[in-house]
Amino acid sequence: MSSTMMRTVFLSLVVLVGCSGAQSAQNDIPAAARPLWEQCRSSIDTYCHNRAQGDPSLERECEATTAHDYGVITDDAARRQYLRTHGCTSL
C-alpha cells in the first residue's frame, strides 16, 4: 500500500470515529429534549469550539460531555437554563 493510500485510509478512519462519537453523544438525549438541543446546536458547537481553542479532540470531548450532561436533565426549565449557559441565546 502506498503512503498516500495509507494516509487516506487513516484520515477516513479518524473522521468516522469522530462522527460516531458525536452521534453516540447525541443519542444520550431523550427524544423529548431533542428539539431544544437542535434549536441550540450551532450555539453549542460554537461554545465547544471556543473552549477547545483549536484542539479537535477537546472540541469533541466538550460536545460529548455537553450532550450527556444535557441529556440527564429531566426538567424543561433546567434544560433551557443549561443551554443558555452554553451560549444559546435564542430560547
Side-chain angles (χ1 to χ4, degrees):
M1 213 185 243
S2 73
S3 65
T4 303
M5 183 179 257
M6 287 177 64
R7 189 176 319 128
T8 302
V9 169
F10 175 74
L11 291 175
S12 297
L13 288 173
V14 168
V15 168
L16 285 174
V17 169
C19 290
S20 68
Q23 184 61 41
S24 68
Q26 290 181 31
N27 289 339
D28 289 343
I29 300 172
R34 286 191 188 137
L36 282 177
W37 177 262
E38 291 304 323
Q39 181 179 341
C40 294
R41 184 60 204 208
S42 64
S43 298
I44 297 294
D45 290 345
T46 300
Y47 170 84
C48 287
H49 178 77
N50 291 341
R51 286 194 55 138
Q53 297 180 356
D55 186 328
S57 64
L58 289 177
E59 190 168 343
R60 284 189 303 275
E61 181 181 328
C62 174
E63 291 167 356
T65 301
T66 303
H68 171 38
D69 292 350
Y70 173 76
V72 297
I73 300 170
T74 58
D75 176 74
D76 190 55
R79 284 183 185 136
R80 289 175 183 276
Q81 180 58 34
Y82 182 82
L83 291 172
R84 280 188 206 101
T85 64
H86 287 74
C88 186
T89 58
S90 65
L91 297 175

